[in-house]
Amino acid sequence: MPEKTDANISAATKEVLPHLERLATAHSICILQAANPVCLTQLGEGSTGFPSSRFVFVRSVEHYLSLFPKEEHIEDEGIEPTDIIGWDLRKALVAVLQGDPTAVDWLRITPTQISVKGFKDSFVGFAQEHGDPVRFAQSHLQLLLKFHRRFKGQPQGEMVPEKLIDLLRPALSLRWYSQHKLQGLPPAQLAHLLDDVFIRPVLRGEIVELLDRQRQGQLKDLEPIPTAVGELLLAEIEAGPALATRKRRPFTREIMQEADRFFLRWSVLNQR
């Protein structure tokens, strides 16, 4: 049975725990790790201010042998205003190999609500050893380009202020990759990313001010877009074509075998 981590647990986290336990029982799953990304300084996502959780789970072995498998994600339904989303371990592993850092970032944030001993380190280690930094970087680029139509290609262009927060982490992650020669994984938490990437003091100051504005509910009054932040977004978008040409690591038989072994190791937990 996964352990509940009670140390330094927030009231919001405690409120989510019964919902996680209900989902585990209702879907006959074992939750391997559940984290609580409640603020933008952790994932760079806009905060709802409500209890939330992101988790990775495993089903029974019989489920994976079925000709009619169930969905590989679970969302809490009808429990407002909680926001709970879970990914099957198989989905999380495939995402890592394809370059989507979402699941591995869920596991690297704090606080943790439910945890199977050793799973977090094992999963992050798998991502670091067998994941492709080029694919991860390209994933951050795609997220940045997703909002390109709102940016209009100018540092002072029109942009929904709230979206600036969503764009900070992919943009800074791309900057981190360029400074680390496309090696490793950038920090999952925005605060740690700011500490680990070299940026000009004026840009750092504008980002800190943006975060302060969000905490105070003043983002809607932001006008115009901070110059240095706009230049950061534009510069990473303009660097996109060069990143797109970088050679990605091939899917070798050895990597696929390691993924199989990793999945089999943790999938038996739901049999105990």
Side-chain angles (χ1 to χ4, degrees):
M1 179 68 184
E3 299 177 355
K4 300 173 188 176
T5 54
D6 294 325
N8 300 320
I9 200 168
S10 68
T13 298
K14 289 181 179 179
E15 186 174 342
V16 170
L17 282 174
H19 300 313
L20 290 171
E21 292 171 350
R22 173 182 54 78
L23 286 173
T25 300
H27 295 274
S28 299
I29 61 175
C30 175
I31 296 179
L32 298 171
Q33 188 90 5
N36 189 16
V38 295
C39 69
L40 62 100
T41 57
Q42 294 173 322
L43 273 179
E45 297 176 345
S47 172
T48 62
F50 299 134
S52 63
S53 185
R54 304 290 185 267
F55 64 93
V56 175
F57 66 88
V58 67
R59 298 184 187 271
S60 67
V61 171
E62 286 79 5
H63 160 77
Y64 296 111
L65 297 176
S66 172
L67 295 177
F68 306 100
K70 296 180 181 179
E71 291 289 332
E72 291 188 310
H73 68 276
I74 292 175
E75 293 188 40
D76 199 334
E77 299 178 357
I79 305 297
E80 296 294 343
T82 58
D83 175 17
I84 301 177
I85 299 174
W87 281 12
D88 189 294
L89 176 59
R90 180 167 58 185
K91 177 182 175 70
L93 279 172
V94 170
V96 164
L97 293 176
Q98 291 178 333
D100 182 351
T102 301
V104 70
D105 286 344
W106 288 354
L107 300 186
R108 293 192 296 154
I109 62 174
T110 53
T112 298
Q113 297 163 318
I114 295 176
S115 176
V116 170
K117 185 177 181 180
F119 173 71
K120 173 183 175 180
D121 291 341
S122 181
F123 189 89
V124 173
F126 177 89
Q128 290 175 324
E129 183 175 357
H130 303 294
D132 180 7
V134 173
R135 293 180 189 271
F136 285 136
Q138 289 175 348
S139 180
H140 288 297
L141 176 62
Q142 289 303 314
L143 184 58
L144 196 60
L145 291 174
K146 179 179 178 181
F147 300 97
H148 188 201
R149 64 183 182 277
R150 297 181 180 177
F151 188 57
K152 299 194 174 180
Q154 297 293 330
Q156 296 296 329
E158 181 181 342
M159 168 67 76
V160 178
E162 290 83 351
K163 293 302 178 184
L164 285 175
I165 301 297
D166 295 330
L167 295 178
L168 284 177
R169 186 170 176 274
L172 288 173
S173 294
L174 288 169
R175 185 63 56 90
W176 186 95
Y177 271 119
S178 68
Q179 294 174 5
H180 289 76
K181 299 181 180 179
L182 286 171
Q183 298 294 322
L185 289 169
Q189 296 175 269
L190 184 55
H192 296 167
L193 186 56
L194 275 172
D195 290 338
D196 205 34
V197 68
F198 176 77
I199 53 176
R200 293 181 298 130
V202 63
L203 174 56
R204 187 178 303 275
E206 288 186 355
I207 292 175
V208 170
E209 183 179 353
L210 275 177
L211 301 183
D212 287 340
R213 278 181 170 272
Q214 190 195 50
R215 282 190 287 268
Q216 298 169 15
Q218 298 177 351
L219 271 183
K220 292 183 179 180
D221 302 326
L222 180 66
E223 189 177 334
I225 295 173
T227 302
V229 170
E231 290 173 348
L232 167 70
L233 303 181
L234 184 58
E236 295 307 326
I237 287 173
E238 290 179 339
L243 177 61
T245 64
R246 293 297 298 261
K247 185 176 181 180
R248 297 185 293 185
R249 183 183 300 171
F251 295 127
T252 65
R253 176 179 297 181
E254 289 74 18
I255 290 176
M256 296 300 100
Q257 289 175 338
E258 287 298 323
D260 285 343
R261 281 192 283 268
F262 184 95
F263 175 78
L264 289 172
R265 173 188 174 187
W266 294 101
S267 64
V268 299
L269 286 176
N270 209 26
Q271 312 307 304
R272 297 174 183 174

